[in-house]
Amino acid sequence: MNEPLLTDQGVFDRAFAQLLGLDDRLVPVAGVAGRPALRRRPPGFAGLCAVVIAQQLSVASARAITGRFEAALGGTPTVEAMLCAPVETLRAAGLSAPKIRTLTGIARALAEGEVDLEAVARMEADAAAEVMTRLPGIGLWTADIYLLFCLGRADAFPHGDLALQVALGEALELGGRCTPLGLRAIAEDWRPLRGVAAHLLWAYYGARRARLGAPA
């Protein structure tokens, strides 16, 4: 694994400066977005649970449900606690039936050794994401988000993310949203710092919508 790890804001800031040196098209993007803040979640099963819970929810709703979920499991979520938790308790915490099935399936797969998250952490970003899709309910987007936010992998890049596609289309004046394949191809210029570029594009997306008075 040759990519840097984004361990703290100082490391991120240095990587951000390197990224702008890789592609001068990103300099005006940074002028709009500013310097992004590093976004991190805990690694391992607990972090993966948080990523799954947050899908298709507002930040406030995700935080509230995650807090109730952790309380229901007696603290930081573990595979063992998840497998022992009654469905009624999980529902009362605010989890939908599909997310209960996904989290239970992930816990069971990890307990049975189908995927080793510690081994995933040592793999190259794209290969690691592919391995993570062996977990029930985990697609490439979720895998890349886990690698980027939970493991701090600087080259993880969720090219299927709608906000990134819209942001790049606007930033490069492509006449519309960038396609996933187009986004992935352009992002090749940013290796091994594609995850840093993702932070920048998310910040750009938010800044543009704040200026327009639209919800980010």
Side-chain angles (χ1 to χ4, degrees), residues 155-186:
D155 203 37
F157 191 75
H159 62 275
D161 189 271
L162 179 60
L164 295 184
Q165 295 165 18
V166 171
L168 190 63
E170 293 176 353
L172 300 188
E173 300 181 348
L174 300 179
R177 175 166 61 93
C178 189
T179 66
L181 286 178
L183 179 60
R184 186 171 192 170
I186 292 170

Side-chain angles (χ1 to χ4, degrees), residues 85-167:
V87 171
E88 295 77 12
T89 299
L90 299 173
R91 286 176 180 161
L95 291 178
S96 65
K99 288 187 179 179
I100 292 173
R101 286 195 298 270
T102 294
L103 294 177
T104 302
I106 291 171
R108 188 173 296 115
L110 293 176
E112 295 173 357
E114 293 181 22
V115 171
D116 182 347
L117 291 181
E118 291 186 4
V120 164
R122 298 189 294 270
M123 296 177 184
E124 181 270 332
D126 289 339
E130 290 286 350
V131 169
M132 287 193 67
T133 62
R134 298 174 190 171
L135 292 169
I138 300 300
L140 280 176
W141 181 88
T142 305
D144 282 322
I145 292 295
Y146 172 82
L147 292 170
L148 182 56
F149 291 164
C150 299
L151 299 184
R153 300 293 294 275
D155 203 37
F157 191 75
H159 62 275
D161 189 271
L162 179 60
L164 295 184
Q165 295 165 18
V166 171

Side-chain angles (χ1 to χ4, degrees), residues 15-36 157 164 167-168 171-172 183 186-187 189-191 193-202 204:
F16 181 67
Q18 293 171 11
L19 172 69
L20 298 186
L22 291 176
D23 190 343
D24 57 13
R25 293 175 297 179
L26 296 179
V27 174
V29 178
V32 173
R35 182 177 298 171
F157 191 75
L164 295 184
L168 190 63
L172 300 188
L183 179 60
I186 292 170
D189 292 339
W190 306 329
R191 285 185 183 270
L193 299 172
R194 294 179 301 168
V196 179
H199 277 79
L200 171 59
L201 290 173
W202 278 317
Y204 177 83

Side-chain angles (χ1 to χ4, degrees), residues 21-82:
L22 291 176
D23 190 343
D24 57 13
R25 293 175 297 179
L26 296 179
V27 174
V29 178
V32 173
R35 182 177 298 171
L38 175 63
R39 298 159 64 178
R40 288 298 305 268
R41 294 184 183 275
F45 180 68
L48 186 53
C49 287
V51 170
V52 171
I53 290 171
Q55 291 175 357
Q56 299 177 326
L57 292 178
S58 68
V59 172
S61 295
R63 285 176 178 167
I65 293 174
T66 299
R68 294 196 297 268
F69 171 69
E70 292 176 349
L73 266 60
T76 301
T78 64
V79 168
E80 295 76 13
M82 183 67 205

